[in-house]
Amino acid sequence: MTNPGHKRKSLSTPEPEEPTTRPQSNFITPRSKRQKPSVIQGKGQPPSSAEIRTPSIQRSGTSGAYSSRLSTTEHILTERHAEAHDHYERRLDKDEDSILSLTEPPDGKLEIAKELIEKAALFMESYLRTVSPNSGESAEGMSDAIKPRPDSPMQLSSTPTGPSTSIQRAGNTSDNSALLKEKLDEANKWISWQSNSKEKNMYGPIGAFIKYVALVVKEKLTSLADPSSGNGRGCRLVLPSTKSDYNPPDADDTMRIDMGLVGAKINSPVEANNGRVLYYKVIAVLEAKRKGDDDGFRDAFEQLDIYTRQMYQQQHNLRFAWGITVSGTHVRVCLFGPDRAKSSLLIDISKPEGRRAFIKVLVHWSLCEESQLGRDPTMEYLRDLKCWQIACPDKAGSMGKGADVKYYYFTTVSCQADRLFGRHTRCFLATDIRPTEMVSDNNPLRPKFVIKDLWAFSKRNASEDTRDEVRSLEKVKACLFAKAAERDIIIPKIEVGGRVSFLRNGGWVEDNTDTLYGRGKLVADKADTVDELSELAENNADDVNKPGEVRSDDDLYFRAHRRIVMEPIGEPLRSTTSVAEFVTVVCDVMRCHNAFVNDCSILHRDISPNNILVFRGDDGIARGMLIDLDCAIDIDQEKREEREGRVKRKEMTGTLPYMSINNLSGSLVEHTSLDDWESMLCVICWFATLGTISGKRRGDEELAGCPIGKWRQGSTKDMITAKESAFNNPELFKSSIVNHFKPEGVAGSTSDKGDKIGGGTVGKPDESELLKRLAISLHECLFKNPSLNPDFHGTVEKQKCGEQTLPNLSVQERLEAVRLHGQVPLTSEIPPMVNPLKERAEKWKDISEELLAFTNVYWEQAMALQKDALKAKSNATISTIPQ
């Protein structure tokens, strides 16, 4: 829940107020969420179009997708550095110079951009040759890209006062000319950089170069800023943060960025003190290294990788992100998309053509549309109402014409994108009623819906996208909604959902990776069929790093930007206030899961805490709801495709600490509902170890050396080994897992021999014992099921024992052996290996029903404990009322 005492930055101008957040009663939290929700209600001056319209988001201080309670800050940073190194090796496409064209201004501003680039480059080269003859080439030695053109509005002066005359001829005042020279004097220290200098000496000169371009841009844009001129609208000054080498206040780690670049209003002072710019305001982070070699670029990129992750986390309207690496005098512009990073060709600012190229980047960033900088054009901050407006499909499918769009309003982000690559799932608590007055603490929005926003793997042809979450939710609604009350289960209800589109150049464009990369410019087009594309994409689960997997554009991944509106609103699993609540919720979820499988033929495939919600009705009883069908499959559809002979590749889906052994190992054993039951067992064990009661969970020091911590540490192979060991037999499970459960919720004395609690009540085990017995029952049903041959118990492959096997004889050979010897001879060969998980999967239906029966028993007991607790609380309240 939101901490009422926490203060955060609002949506406002460079020096915003800091309103106090209000606590949230209910919110929905789908997968991949690591932070607590927050209110993002803006106060003070609303943001301008030149500012990044993204609020600061409150974080819980966690950084792992699983639970930071088992990780120190050092461990988290170690993991992030390792991940960044992996991204450099496997997810970075170098020398992709076409990314620079993605920020080319629209036609109405393109000529202005060319003029500004020409002006800034020519004045820079003219002045540098005056003050530092070795810093550039003569006009005769300049490349064609740098030479002044005969039709240029500003020619280089041949007089001794050339630079000054040139800039004045272009309409600049002498004061502005002096300021330009001042910035170039400082920037020249970077242009003539020596690698033996200290890195910190680079920051000022780099910032001066950027400010020089901003000064040139400002002079032109200011003259176009009147309302009668449209060319100056939607533009910005790209400025460096005043502070360099600092830790942004909204960071969840201790790392220090070298420089943050922000988009300021065109009338902003270039020398304004913007201090330590927050991640939620930057349009890009610049990371500098003093050496201009490959090692310098690698080190700069890996740090930029970590910083950009924070941008996604803090900017809830960020579709893709930009960054800049500087290694000596070598500059590379980097683009971070949903699945890969791309870097431009090397830009060497020690050379005239390199300086012009970097000027071009900065000018384009100043004049391009906000959507080209990665902002979502379908989200808008309403200044007069101080809330956000978000466009959603008004009917199933894509947004298109105005009639297909419906607007919702929100001030609260319940979850943020917290990964550099992947779905970038975000959730907003919204209402479809436009507020009539300014939103405030005294006049808050009252959300009714959850809007889930994500970039999901898809087929290009939406009508053939059988794994679309919208389809799954529609099927659940059709099959179960009318039965939910009778079954006493809570299911998510979809209002509407579909792919996001936005207006561009007068037409509607679907927002997907092809659009993001410039109508497919950076996406290979190798596959001949949509099915081939989808199959390749589906096998690249964005929440799991497959061992040895290398991805590239040749994989033909394709993501579509989706938005789903649904209800009811719930709370995260971590909000439970008693063991009885926790047990009720997890049992509810698996009862819901069983209905998905049996009534809807939908297999969830990603049971994790992020996909479990707590719902409290008017009676105060905590109930559970299973959400997030991103990874779900339609079992009937899969069987049809299998009958048609379509080959399916093994997929890894889920969240690492909670994935089943079968799923985690990537084996060829079919993924069944038993894998989801095993994932739920992992969730139960994880929370039982940490503690199930909100606000009373264990700290890091108490969990040091806890065996369950190995479920998220080391390589995937290490995680598999840890789970195989823990689950292999009941004794190991109890000693390594159950015995480490946090004692809590004990109502009286516990007994291992019966169900006595609190002085002898029979039939209601105390809460602490209830959780242990639930875990043990699920474990034994999964891994020591009496319906299976003992050879098939446990988790690891072993030799079949208890019987001898027949040699591989034909029928004729068997008959001849009986005639001669009276029996078929037994072989002395080594018994074959058996895979317990494979044998278990073949009986998944029977075992699932058995698991459900156990679950119903514990669900009833937990519900009874909840009701007793509420009754006792009510009686206690009555007894305190004066008679």
Side-chain angles (χ1 to χ4, degrees):
M1 300 296 288
T2 303
N3 180 0
H6 176 79
K7 292 188 176 182
R8 53 166 180 74
K9 298 290 184 181
S10 66
L11 299 172
S12 65
T13 45
E15 294 296 331
E17 301 174 12
E18 294 188 349
T20 302
T21 61
R22 53 184 167 83
Q24 298 301 302
S25 57
N26 293 316
F27 50 89
I28 191 167
T29 311
R31 70 200 303 265
S32 300
K33 314 314 177 266
R34 303 181 190 174
Q35 293 78 33
K36 293 181 180 178
S38 69
V39 182
I40 58 169
Q41 180 177 310
K43 292 189 177 182
Q45 294 296 321
S48 68
S49 62
E51 296 174 311
I52 302 307
R53 301 175 178 174
T54 309
S56 173
I57 306 296
Q58 179 184 341
R59 300 175 310 283
S60 63
T62 65
S63 61
Y66 327 118
S67 173
S68 68
R69 308 308 292 268
L70 292 179
S71 295
T72 63
T73 302
E74 290 78 10
H75 289 157
I76 292 169
L77 285 177
T78 298
E79 290 177 359
R80 290 184 179 180
H81 279 289
E83 185 178 61
H85 179 72
D86 179 72
H87 291 167
Y88 177 83
E89 296 292 337
R90 303 196 303 150
R91 294 215 185 197
L92 172 62
D93 301 324
K94 301 177 183 178
D95 301 332
E96 292 274 357
D97 223 34
S98 53
I99 65 173
L100 300 181
S101 65
L102 299 182
T103 55
E104 184 175 279
D107 292 342
K109 301 176 185 176
L110 190 55
E111 289 304 314
I112 298 173
K114 292 178 180 178
E115 177 185 339
L116 288 171
I117 295 166
E118 183 82 6
K119 178 189 292 186
L122 290 178
F123 181 71
M124 176 180 285
E125 298 311 315
S126 177
Y127 183 72
L128 289 178
R129 285 196 303 277
T130 301
V131 299
S132 181
N134 295 327
S135 65
E137 305 170 13
S138 64
E140 290 73 17
M142 295 168 63
S143 67
D144 291 338
I146 303 298
K147 289 180 181 179
R149 297 195 300 267
D151 59 345
S152 170
M154 181 181 72
Q155 296 291 329
L156 289 176
S157 172
S158 60
T159 65
T161 57
S164 177
T165 304
S166 299
I167 202 71
Q168 290 174 16
R169 192 176 301 165
N172 291 74
T173 65
S174 58
D175 289 341
N176 195 42
S177 178
L179 189 55
L180 289 169
K181 295 176 185 179
E182 176 186 324
K183 296 306 172 189
L184 288 178
D185 284 336
E186 180 68 14
N188 195 31
K189 298 176 183 176
W190 177 36
I191 294 170
S192 56
W193 179 256
Q194 300 297 318
S195 61
N196 58 355
S197 301
K198 293 183 178 180
E199 181 183 306
K200 66 179 183 180
N201 294 333
M202 298 177 69
Y203 306 147
I206 294 173
F209 190 109
I210 297 170
K211 288 180 179 180
Y212 164 77
V213 177
L215 285 167
V216 177
V217 171
K218 179 180 179 179
E219 186 233 347
K220 181 67 175 180
L221 294 187
T222 302
S223 67
L224 298 174
D226 63 273
S228 62
S229 173
N231 289 333
R233 296 180 181 179
C235 300
R236 63 204 63 80
L237 299 182
V238 177
L239 296 174
S241 55
T242 307
K243 183 73 173 178
S244 56
D245 188 26
Y246 69 95
N247 178 241
D250 57 346
D252 70 354
D253 57 30
T254 57
M255 294 191 66
R256 305 165 70 89
I257 69 174
D258 287 343
M259 191 178 298
L261 302 186
V262 297
K265 297 178 182 179
I266 59 175
N267 59 353
S268 300
V270 172
E271 295 297 337
N273 185 351
N274 54 28
R276 297 189 302 162
V277 178
L278 282 73
Y279 277 120
Y280 84 82
K281 281 195 169 185
V282 301
I283 58 176
V285 173
L286 184 149
E287 179 62 25
K289 297 297 176 186
R290 62 187 181 87
K291 292 186 177 180
D293 54 14
D294 289 342
D295 288 344
F297 170 59
R298 183 197 62 225
D299 292 345
F301 175 84
E302 290 181 8
Q303 287 186 237
L304 188 63
D305 179 286
I306 298 172
Y307 303 146
T308 306
R309 171 186 183 149
Q310 298 269 8
M311 288 176 61
Y312 275 114
Q313 183 172 302
Q314 294 300 331
Q315 299 184 29
H316 64 261
N317 60 343
L318 190 63
R319 298 158 54 238
F320 58 91
W322 293 98
I324 295 175
T325 65
V326 175
S327 47
T329 59
H330 297 168
V331 175
R332 290 179 177 87
V333 178
C334 299
L335 171 69
F336 294 87
D339 290 285
R340 300 194 65 79
K342 301 174 185 292
S343 65
S344 67
L345 289 168
L346 183 150
I347 299 173
D348 189 349
I349 57 95
S350 68
K351 298 180 179 179
E353 56 267 30
R355 294 191 283 274
R356 182 187 180 91
F358 192 41
I359 288 171
K360 183 178 180 180
V361 169
L362 296 172
V363 169
H364 281 186
W365 283 14
S366 300
L367 272 66
C368 69
E369 301 299 316
E370 286 191 4
S371 62
Q372 294 173 278
L373 292 175
R375 312 301 160 217
D376 190 334
T378 65
M379 296 174 64
E380 179 184 2
Y381 182 71
L382 304 179
R383 306 179 188 181
D384 56 334
L385 298 175
K386 294 198 181 301
C387 68
W388 286 78
Q389 175 179 275
I390 181 171
C392 297
D394 195 28
K395 64 180 183 180
S398 297
M399 294 158 52
K401 300 176 182 178
D404 298 335
V405 178
K406 184 175 181 178
Y407 293 100
Y408 293 78
Y409 307 90
F410 71 90
T411 58
T412 303
V413 178
S414 65
C415 60
Q416 307 138 258
D418 53 7
R419 295 174 182 270
L420 182 59
F421 299 120
R423 291 180 174 87
H424 295 153
T425 305
R426 301 170 171 101
C427 285
F428 314 112
L429 305 190
T431 176
D432 57 349
I433 301 174
R434 182 186 175 99
T436 57
E437 299 178 359
M438 182 184 299
V439 177
S440 64
D441 290 340
N442 296 325
N443 182 41
L445 286 180
R446 303 191 182 281
K448 179 184 177 183
F449 304 104
V450 175
I451 299 177
K452 181 179 179 182
D453 185 273
L454 74 159
W455 287 74
F457 279 131
S458 309
K459 292 184 179 180
R460 281 185 169 85
N461 187 340
S463 64
E464 298 180 8
D465 196 356
T466 58
R467 291 194 177 183
D468 185 349
E469 184 180 8
V470 174
R471 288 195 179 194
S472 297
L473 286 168
E474 292 285 5
K475 189 173 184 180
V476 168
K477 182 179 179 180
C479 296
L480 275 179
F481 188 69
K483 304 176 184 177
E486 178 186 346
R487 301 280 186 86
D488 200 6
I489 57 176
I490 301 173
I491 62 171
K493 177 188 175 185
I494 182 173
E495 290 295 315
V496 73
R499 299 188 180 188
V500 175
S501 299
F502 61 92
L503 280 170
R504 186 175 70 183
N505 297 328
W508 286 89
V509 179
E510 183 180 287
D511 200 13
N512 54 45
T513 45
D514 286 353
T515 303
L516 184 154
Y517 291 132
R519 296 177 295 279
K521 290 180 182 177
L522 303 182
V523 179
D525 194 16
K526 180 179 177 182
D528 294 326
T529 67
V530 173
D531 294 333
E532 182 181 354
L533 163 72
S534 179
E535 187 174 12
L536 287 165
E538 289 162 356
N539 284 279
N540 287 306
D542 55 357
D543 287 332
V544 178
N545 290 325
K546 299 182 186 179
E549 179 193 42
V550 178
R551 297 182 54 188
S552 68
D553 279 337
D554 290 335
D555 289 338
L556 291 173
Y557 55 82
F558 173 81
R559 290 184 186 268
H561 188 184
R562 292 180 188 160
R563 201 163 277 164
I564 306 170
V565 182
M566 51 190 169
E567 56 178 339
I569 296 174
E571 299 174 348
L573 182 57
R574 63 176 178 269
S575 67
T576 54
T577 60
S578 70
V579 176
E581 283 192 359
F582 177 82
V583 173
T584 302
V585 168
V586 295
C587 290
D588 259 332
V589 164
M590 294 316 292
R591 293 169 67 243
C592 183
H593 177 276
N594 182 73
F596 283 2
V597 173
N598 293 337
D599 292 73
C600 310
S601 186
I602 288 177
L603 184 61
H604 191 277
R605 304 199 307 168
D606 186 16
I607 303 296
S608 66
N610 297 316
N611 296 335
I612 298 172
L613 291 184
V614 180
F615 179 81
R616 288 183 172 85
D618 295 336
D619 59 2
I621 298 291
R623 301 295 302 275
M625 180 169 65
L626 181 61
I627 62 166
D628 197 344
L629 302 181
D630 281 349
C631 298
I633 58 170
D634 186 319
I635 301 172
D636 292 340
Q637 177 69 25
E638 297 292 312
K639 288 180 179 179
R640 283 194 295 270
E641 293 179 358
E642 187 176 346
R643 287 195 298 268
E644 292 169 2
R646 294 175 58 178
V647 178
K648 291 291 180 183
R649 302 186 184 187
K650 176 64 182 177
E651 297 175 271
M652 294 174 66
T653 61
T655 309
L656 282 173
Y658 317 110
M659 289 171 64
S660 69
I661 297 170
N662 175 42
N663 191 13
L664 194 59
S665 62
S667 75
L668 297 177
V669 176
E670 180 186 3
H671 191 150
T672 70
S673 66
L674 296 185
D675 290 282
D676 286 359
W677 279 97
E678 185 179 333
S679 292
M680 177 54 79
L681 176 60
C682 293
V683 170
I684 291 170
C685 293
W686 192 271
F687 268 74
T689 304
L690 288 172
T692 62
I693 301 176
S694 179
K696 297 184 179 180
R697 296 193 171 91
R698 283 171 164 166
D700 293 339
E701 65 283 353
E702 297 178 81
L703 294 172
C706 190
I708 201 172
K710 295 180 181 179
W711 291 5
R712 73 172 299 267
Q713 296 171 353
S715 65
T716 304
K717 184 177 181 181
D718 294 333
M719 298 177 195
I720 295 170
T721 301
K723 286 192 175 183
E724 285 181 338
S725 174
F727 289 157
N728 194 45
N729 63 65
E731 291 73 27
L732 278 173
F733 178 64
K734 292 176 183 177
S735 63
S736 64
I737 302 297
V738 177
N739 288 349
H740 292 271
F741 284 5
K742 183 180 186 295
E744 57 185 352
V746 179
S749 61
T750 60
S751 171
D752 292 332
K753 298 180 180 179
D755 290 331
K756 297 183 179 181
I757 67 167
T761 303
V762 178
K764 294 181 181 178
D766 69 60
E767 295 187 24
S768 183
E769 191 67 19
L770 183 69
L771 189 55
K772 289 184 178 181
R773 294 185 181 185
L774 172 61
I776 291 171
S777 296
L778 295 181
H779 174 267
E780 291 189 354
C781 193
L782 282 167
F783 299 105
K784 196 179 179 181
N785 195 290
S787 67
L788 295 175
N789 186 301
D791 289 337
F792 306 143
H793 290 172
T795 59
V796 295
E797 288 191 355
K798 50 197 167 187
Q799 290 181 340
K800 191 174 183 180
C801 58
E803 63 180 59
Q804 291 178 298
T805 56
L806 296 175
N808 186 20
L809 301 177
S810 66
V811 174
Q812 188 63 36
E813 289 171 330
R814 287 170 184 254
L815 292 174
E816 183 66 17
V818 171
R819 185 181 68 79
L820 295 176
H821 306 289
Q823 64 179 13
V824 177
L826 296 174
T827 181
S828 59
E829 295 177 2
I830 298 175
M833 300 292 290
V834 295
N835 183 347
L837 303 181
K838 181 177 183 298
E839 302 300 328
R840 185 185 74 177
E842 293 178 357
K843 293 190 175 183
W844 71 267
K845 289 186 178 180
D846 294 337
I847 296 176
S848 293
E849 289 302 316
E850 195 174 337
L851 286 162
L852 181 64
F854 276 119
T855 300
N856 283 329
V857 172
Y858 289 104
W859 177 77
E860 292 174 356
Q861 293 177 346
M863 285 283 286
L865 285 171
Q866 278 203 76
K867 291 175 181 178
D868 288 350
L870 288 172
K871 184 178 180 180
K873 183 178 180 180
S874 177
N875 292 338
T877 302
I878 294 174
S879 66
T880 60
I881 299 176
Q883 300 298 322

